[in-house]
């Protein structure tokens, strides 16, 4: 254990899991959130434990996602045992329908040794009897799971609150950094300065705004996404399905998520009628029976958009004591276990789980 205090800015799944990893290794962890923990993109996302189209991403994203996919079941079991709150890692598999780049997907799977296979469309209709008509081709990955992200956040928060050396401060907005020369020694809040030996910036879409106070330009921006939720029978949809960029995700209790939009609207996360109608149309095209189902939820969240979806993980050059774990774009929940373990390894001076180079802030910031 290192005799140091760590301050974490941001209480989404990245901040919470970073705190969870660091707490057993340092003297204290203080986690600050501008609102309530886990109420932004971590709550709003779908929770598929895979990038939507993994073969379209860089090897940097693939490396994080593979590590996380393999780790998630163990994490869920551990959190459930600690807190009694099951994050519900639900292994349903995923069918991609009528892909334009199916050959690329299968080549990627062969190269990466991932269990993605082409399947006869009749087999898909046999397996997913509620699927809409008109689809002609499919590929399937049987081991893809989804995590019930609101419960993951709730479980992580409960686990942290049970740790004697962790403090969670909600409704505590960080306005800037405390510095001793170039070294970052804490953060400024309306309630006073919070000091630490190391500060981790994990504020999602708001990370760039904070880093700009140091004269650094972090290319992370909010990207709005809207989703809708139906309540169906528990056995209504046996698998996740994805077509034309829209997906359906079944939860264990029969809730079915349909998502999502991609909108560049700044920090506005107001749900819109236009998106609602578009999502309903996609839902009915995928699963016609949803035309008679009630929408029980419609919301919007802000993803932390970043170039190529590659997160920033590691120390900020020229500002010792400051670390980044942000910019996960559409894959925060997917990449969280690996990202937070990598950040922990680097901060603690331990051997990193994967090559740190692609995620290093050095050379990727302007200022």
């Amino acid at each position: 254990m290192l005799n140091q205090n760590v301050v974490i800015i941001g209480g989404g799944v990245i901040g919470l899991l970073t705190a969870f990893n660091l707490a057993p290794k340092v003297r204290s962890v203080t986690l600050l959130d501008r609102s309530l923990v886990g109420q932004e993109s971590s709550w709003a996302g779908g929770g598929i434990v895979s990038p939507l189209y993994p073969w379209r991403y860089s090897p940097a994203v693939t490396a994080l996602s593979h590590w996380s996919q393999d780790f998630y079941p163990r994490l869920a079991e551990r959190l459930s045992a600690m807190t009694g709150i099951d994050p519900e890692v639900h292994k349903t598999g995923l069918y991609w329908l009528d892909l334009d780049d199916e050959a690329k997907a299968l080549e990627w799977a062969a190269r990466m040794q991932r269990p993605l296979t082409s399947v006869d469309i009749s087999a898909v209709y046999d397996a997913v009897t509620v699927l809409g008509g008109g689809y002609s081709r499919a590929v399937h990955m049987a081991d893809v799971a989804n995590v019930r992200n609101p419960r993951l956040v709730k479980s992580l928060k409960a686990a942290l609150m049970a740790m004697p050396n962790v403090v969670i401060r909600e409704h505590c907005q960080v306005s800037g950094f405390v510095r001793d020369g170039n070294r970052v020694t804490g953060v400024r809040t309306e309630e006073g300065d919070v000091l630490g030996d190391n500060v981790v910036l994990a504020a999602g879409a708001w990370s760039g705004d904070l880093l700009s106070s140091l004269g650094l330009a972090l290319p992370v921006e909010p990207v709005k996404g809207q989703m809708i939720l139906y309540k169906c029978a528990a056995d209504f949809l046996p698998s996740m399905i994805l077509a034309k960029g829209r997906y359906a995700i079944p939860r264990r209790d029969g809730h079915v998520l349909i998502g999502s939009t991609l909108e560049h609207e700044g920090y506005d996360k107001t749900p819109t009628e236009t998106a609602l109608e578009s999502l309903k149309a996609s839902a009915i095209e995928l699963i016609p029976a949803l035309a008679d189902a009630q929408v029980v939820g419609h919301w919007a969240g802000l993803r932390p958009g970043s170039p190529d979806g590659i997160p920033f993980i590691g120390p900020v050059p020229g500002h010792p004591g400051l670390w980044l774990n942000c910019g996960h774009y559409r894959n925060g929940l997917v990449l969280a276990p690996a990202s937070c373990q990598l950040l922990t390894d680097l901060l603690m001076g331990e051997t990193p789980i994967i090559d740190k180079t692609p995620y290093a802030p050095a050379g990727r910031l302007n200022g």
Side-chain angles (χ1 to χ4, degrees), residues 47-54 65 69 94 96 141 144-145 331 334:
I48 302 176
V49 186
S50 170
L52 288 186
Y53 301 95
S65 66
Q69 285 170 320
L94 172 58
W96 287 266
M141 191 179 283
V144 180
N331 296 311
V334 185

Side-chain angles (χ1 to χ4, degrees), residues 309-328:
I310 300 173
F312 295 80
I313 306 171
V316 177
H319 297 276
L322 181 60
W323 302 75
L324 300 184
N325 194 4
C326 56
H328 294 75

